[in-house]
Amino acid sequence: YARPTRALRTEDVLSAARDFYAGEPFVRVVEASEGWGVHSKWTAGSNLAFLTYAVNSRTGLVVALGTTDNLGKGAAGQALQNAHVMTGQEETAGLEGLPLSP
């Protein structure tokens, strides 16, 4: 949750997040659909992180939701990604496999 300093729309927050994460190979900013956010099943067996944001029309608060696979992005995949960056290798090497679930 975040309290913005001015009135925002969900579209504004999603656009800012997409701009911020542009070029990040493992981050996907998605729209919440029919009141549902991101699902952990989307990341199973991958190094992906899914994020979504919404503005609560009643309170004006920004709600941020994210999900990762705790064994992928949360542990082994993240460690490998960091090692690649530290040693000057391609950040995505060996980590671009598809998730186990669509």
Side-chain angles (χ1 to χ4, degrees), residues 6-19 53 55:
R6 63 181 174 84
L8 292 173
R9 297 172 306 137
T10 296
E11 296 79 23
D12 299 328
V13 180
L14 286 169
S15 177
R18 286 187 179 111
D19 289 345
Y53 300 85
V55 176

Side-chain angles (χ1 to χ4, degrees), residues 81-94:
Q81 184 179 352
N82 289 339
H84 289 157
V85 171
M86 292 185 329
T87 60
Q89 298 178 60
E90 183 65 34
E91 180 178 354
T92 59

Side-chain angles (χ1 to χ4, degrees), residues 36-83:
W36 293 92
V38 293
H39 301 275
S40 57
K41 188 174 184 179
W42 296 352
T43 64
S46 78
N47 197 50
L48 296 173
F50 282 89
L51 306 173
T52 193
Y53 300 85
V55 176
N56 183 312
S57 60
R58 187 177 55 81
T59 64
L61 292 174
V62 175
V63 179
L65 297 170
T67 186
T68 63
D69 180 332
N70 68 332
L71 296 176
K73 187 67 161 178
Q78 185 66 47
L80 189 55
Q81 184 179 352
N82 289 339

